[in-house]
Amino acid sequence: MTTSRIYLDHAATTPLRPEARRAMEHGFAQWANPSSPHSEGRRARALLEDARERLKAALNWDGEVIFTGGASEAAALAFDTANVVQDIATAVEHDAILRGDHVDWTIPVRPDGTANMQLIATRSERPVEIEGHPENRTLVAVQHVNSETGNRQHIGFAAELVHDNGGLLLVDCAQSAGKFAVPKMADMAIISAHKFGGPIGAGALLVRDYAMLHASGGQERGYRRGTENLPGILGMVAALEACEEPYVAPDVLAPLDDFAEAVRAAGGVWLSDRLADPTPYIHAVAMPGISGSAQLMRFDMAGIAVSQGSACSSGTMKRSHVLTAMGLADDLADRMIRISFGWTTTRAEVERFCEVWLDMARTGQRA
C-alpha cells in the first residue's frame, strides 16, 4: 500500500493555491501586451494596474511596486539601479544577494543570528548633493526572516541605524511576506510569489519612492526591462490575498514543542533555542551522529521531503554560509537539516516527521 508523501520544504517553494490558479487562468485569457495601445492592450493594462493596487493593499504598502520575475530579479534591480555608491548586506543573506559583485561589505552576525548592525556607522557615508537632490550613499540589505534558520531580524533597529547614517534599507521579505507584515520603515522590500502559494516566476520590488532608483528599462514606469507576466502577477496577488493570519494554525505546529524536548533529550540540537527571534514556520535541527545529507536521503525514502539549508545551494556540497557566519562548529552544521511549513501542512504530517526523526536518531545511536 502506498502512502502520500509529506512535503516539509515550503521555504524552498510552496504549492500553488487554488485562488492563484484561477487568477492565472483568467490572466492567460488576457493574452495582450499591457504596453500595447489598442483595446486589448488597454484591457490587460487595466488588469495589471488593478493588481498593483491590490498588492499594495494586501501588504499595506503606501509606496510604489515594480513587478519582477521573482526575488532574485528584484534584488538585482535594487542593487543595480539604487542611487548609491556602496552596497552592504548581512552575512546571512540569501545567495541571490551575496553572490556576484553586488555587495561591497558584509555585516557579521552574532551566534544568535542577530546582525551586528552597529557596525554600519563605521562603513557608511553621509548623503551628498547631486543635481539638486540628496543621493543616499549606502544601500543596506537585511533579510527579514532567514531562509535557513527562521530567525527574524529587528528591522526597526536596523532602519534607525541605516537612516541615521544616510542610507537606504532594502529588506528581503521573500520568507516573510504573507506571514508577517512588511516592515513600514523599509525603503525597499523584496517579495517572491512562490513562497506564499503564488506561481514561480513572479515577484516584486517595493520601493518607497522612485527617486531612490534610476530608470533602466522600458516597462514598469521605465524601471524594468521585459513584458510583465500578467498571469503570474494575477496569481501572486490572489495568493497573497488568500493568506490567513496566522499563516499556519498553531494546532498544526503544536507537536513541535514536545519534539524539541525530545531532540534535546536525544542529544540533538534544536537551533531555535539559540536564535534571537525564532519564527514558527522554519526550523533547523541537528541529529546526533548522522550527516544532514544522509538524513535527507533517509527522509526521502520514508516519504518526507526536507532540506539541508537553502534550496538554491543545497545541491552543492558547500557548507551553509549562514550557519558558518553564526559560528556553528563544522560537525554541527553538517548534521543540520531544515524543516519548513506552509498552507498545506497538516498536524498529522508534523507528527509523522517527528516520529521518523526520533526513530532515525535512536537507530543511529544503536548503530
Side-chain angles (χ1 to χ4, degrees), residues 5 14 23 232 340:
R5 286 185 59 84
T14 199
S340 50

Side-chain angles (χ1 to χ4, degrees), residues 2-295:
T2 59
T3 58
S4 298
R5 286 185 59 84
I6 296 172
Y7 183 78
L8 298 181
D9 195 19
H10 291 262
T13 194
T14 199
L16 189 70
R17 293 177 183 267
E19 297 89 348
R21 186 182 300 274
R22 289 192 294 269
M24 292 178 71
E25 289 173 351
H26 177 60
F28 284 125
Q30 309 301 319
W31 42 264
N33 189 322
S35 297
S36 297
H38 46 59
S39 178
E40 290 84 355
R42 294 196 304 272
R43 186 163 59 247
R45 170 61 61 180
L47 284 173
L48 182 71
E49 295 309 320
D50 178 66
R52 199 185 310 276
E53 293 306 313
R54 287 165 55 201
L55 183 76
K56 290 163 68 172
L59 295 174
N60 195 24
W61 179 257
D62 57 6
E64 309 293 346
V65 173
I66 301 172
F67 289 123
T68 68
S72 294
E73 185 196 343
L77 187 66
F79 281 112
D80 293 343
T81 68
N83 293 318
V84 299
V85 297
Q86 70 168 340
D87 301 313
I88 293 175
T90 77
V92 292
E93 296 300 303
H94 192 276
D95 277 344
I97 286 178
L98 294 179
R99 280 179 178 170
D101 58 358
H102 289 321
V103 178
D104 300 305
W105 181 69
T106 55
I107 303 167
V109 297
R110 300 183 178 91
D112 65 1
T114 303
N116 192 354
M117 300 301 295
Q118 291 92 337
L119 295 178
I120 289 175
T122 68
R123 301 296 298 238
S124 299
E125 299 180 60
R126 301 296 300 176
V128 295
E129 289 289 327
I130 295 182
E131 296 181 356
H133 64 84
E135 178 180 273
N136 289 288
R137 301 202 65 178
T138 302
L139 178 67
V140 181
V142 180
Q143 195 176 46
H144 194 190
V145 173
N146 186 265
S147 58
E148 295 190 33
T149 67
N151 189 57
R152 180 166 46 181
Q153 296 291 344
H154 191 333
I155 300 300
F157 179 59
E160 182 179 350
L161 289 171
V162 171
H163 293 152
D164 282 351
N165 287 279
L168 295 176
L169 178 63
L170 169 64
V171 181
D172 180 359
C173 296
Q175 294 293 345
S176 62
K179 306 171 184 70
F180 304 102
V182 170
K184 287 183 172 294
M185 64 291 296
D187 297 300
M188 289 180 266
I190 295 166
I191 70 168
S192 177
H194 73 106
K195 304 297 188 181
F196 51 77
I200 292 173
L205 177 66
L206 312 183
V207 184
R208 180 68 53 203
D209 188 334
Y210 283 134
M212 295 175 176
L213 310 176
H214 55 267
S216 62
Q219 283 75 29
E220 291 299 285
R221 274 74 167 174
Y223 290 92
R224 179 188 185 252
R225 297 183 180 93
T227 301
E228 294 92 344
N229 174 9
L230 182 59
I233 290 167
L234 294 179
M236 172 172 64
V237 174
L240 192 58
E241 291 173 335
C243 292
E244 298 178 346
E245 187 177 345
Y247 185 73
V248 179
D251 178 66
V252 170
L253 302 180
L256 294 178
D257 292 335
D258 289 340
F259 174 65
E261 287 292 339
V263 167
R264 299 177 195 113
V269 172
W270 184 247
L271 192 63
S272 292
D273 291 339
R274 307 185 180 196
L275 301 179
D277 189 7
T279 50
Y281 314 121
I282 301 174
H283 290 286
V285 55
M287 186 180 292
I290 304 179
S291 70
S293 57
Q295 291 176 58

